[in-house]
Every structure is written in structure tokens, then in C-alpha cells.
Amino acid sequence: MIRRAVYPGSFDPVTNGHIDIIKRAANQFDEVIVGVLVNSAKSPLFSSIERVNILKEVLKDMPSVRVESFDGLSVNFVRECKAAAIIRGLRATTDFEYELQMAQMNRVLDEGIDTVFFITNLQYAYLSSSIVKEVAKHGGDISKLVPPPVERALIMKYKEIANGQQN
Ligand code: PNS
């Protein structure tokens, strides 16, 4: 039986911290599906198509990993993928309460699906998509925080926004 897991998230945009989790999950499961939530409550900077395309580019050398978008409940998407595990990363105790609540709720919604947590590498413990966007917005160096396609996409996006505001 193929052991398949889904890593759901906003990925707005994907960071080196996410990629580390994806690589480690790919070592533990036969297949990992990265699920990009379309209608995130967080009003994303990148459209779901942009987020999916960036992830596909960044993960193109990982044959057991694929990228798809989804809407609605994560557990429904996990079931559609015929997977039995949800992957999530845990950076610090501050993540724990929200992640625990979500994992418990997902178990109530479908007790056949388990959440598997990977503890973020110490070198990425401070990293989040929000903090990367904040640094990029103000022209800071993000080359160590995200892969090159994400860096390029962020620089272009904030240029577009700045140009739009001038017109
Ligand atoms: O990257 P994020 O924003 O921390 O990911 C959060 C995500 C997408 C995993 C979570 O918001 C989610 O699963 N949303 C879909 C709706 C859902 O299933 N919520 C959890 C049960 S209420």
C-alpha cells in the first residue's frame, strides 16, 4: 500500500522552512501532495495559481512530491487524494495551540486521518511567509529565506504594487 500524505497550507509564498518540511516528509512517505488552499482567510499576496506555479517550479526535482490547489476542508481534500495523513510543521510553542486544535478538529471530522508533525529545523524556527513578505516589501535581503524563484516573484510583485500605486 502506498503511504501518501498531504501537506496543506497557504504557501503565500513557500519558504525554505516549508521546503525543509516537504523534503523530510518525502523521506517518510511514498508520496507527498502539497495542497495549496485557494480561499485563505488571510487574503493572500499571490493568487492560488501563482502559489501553485511557484511551488511546482521549486519542487520540480522531487519526483514523489506533487502540488495541487484545493478549496474547503483539508480533510475532504486528503480523502480525495486517498491519503491518510496530514503533514504540518511546528516551529515553537506558539504554533502548538492552533495546530493542536486543528489536528483535533480534523480527527473529529475524519478519524481515519492523522496529523503528523515535523519539528522545524532550528535554522528556520523564526521563519514565516508573513515575515518574509514584510522584509521583501521593504527591500530587505530574503535570499537566505526563500528559494530563488520565490525571491524573484516577491521582488516583481512588490514592484507591480508600487507601480500600481504611482499610477
Ligand atoms: O499555511 P497555513 O495558513 O498555516 O495553513 C492553514 C491550513 C490551510 C492548513 C488550514 O487553514 C486549513 O486546513 N484550512 C482549510 C479549512 C480546514 O480544513 N480547517 C481546519 C478544520 S476546521
Side-chain angles (χ1 to χ4, degrees), residues 25-26 42 56 66 72-73 76 89 97 101 120-121 149:
K42 296 175 184 170
K56 281 187 174 165
R66 64 174 206 262
L73 290 174
N76 291 347
E97 242 173 273
Q101 190 182 22
T120 302
N121 256 327

Side-chain angles (χ1 to χ4, degrees), residues 3-86:
R3 288 176 315 138
R4 196 178 279 139
V6 171
Y7 182 16
S10 306
F11 304 104
D12 185 43
V14 62
T15 68
N16 287 344
H18 293 125
I19 292 164
D20 176 59
I21 301 288
I22 294 166
K23 281 185 184 154
R24 288 160 62 201
N27 285 336
Q28 300 295 333
F29 291 88
D30 300 317
E31 279 180 23
V32 174
I33 297 151
V34 179
V36 177
L37 181 65
V38 174
N39 279 327
S40 169
K42 296 175 184 170
S43 55
L45 178 66
F46 291 99
S47 71
S48 59
I49 295 169
E50 287 172 321
R51 285 177 279 145
V52 166
N53 286 341
I54 292 171
L55 272 157
K56 281 187 174 165
E57 163 74 13
V58 167
L59 303 171
K60 64 177 188 292
D61 295 327
M62 298 184 68
S64 67
V65 177
R66 64 174 206 262
V67 184
E68 281 180 29
S69 59
F70 77 99
D71 218 345
L73 290 174
S74 280
V75 285
N76 291 347
F77 178 62
V78 174
R79 232 183 280 123
E80 277 167 32
C81 293
K82 296 190 169 38
I86 292 176

Side-chain angles (χ1 to χ4, degrees), residues 136 153-166:
L154 273 168
I155 291 170
M156 218 154 75
K157 181 67 83 180
Y158 282 118
K159 246 187 215 154
E160 276 169 23
I161 292 172
N163 287 342
Q165 279 167 353
Q166 271 170 13

Side-chain angles (χ1 to χ4, degrees), residues 98-150:
Y98 168 63
E99 293 296 335
L100 178 72
Q101 190 182 22
M102 206 157 57
Q104 303 280 33
M105 178 51 80
N106 284 335
R107 283 279 295 166
V108 169
L109 291 170
D110 190 328
E111 61 177 24
I113 296 171
D114 263 307
T115 302
V116 177
F117 291 106
F118 286 82
I119 305 297
T120 302
N121 256 327
L122 215 47
Q123 76 180 113
Y124 302 125
Y126 65 94
L127 205 49
S128 70
S129 298
S130 309
I131 210 142
V132 167
K133 284 183 279 191
E134 181 73 11
V135 175
K137 188 177 169 182
H138 298 289
D141 179 11
I142 51 166
S143 61
K144 290 186 184 66
L145 317 179
V146 293
V150 179

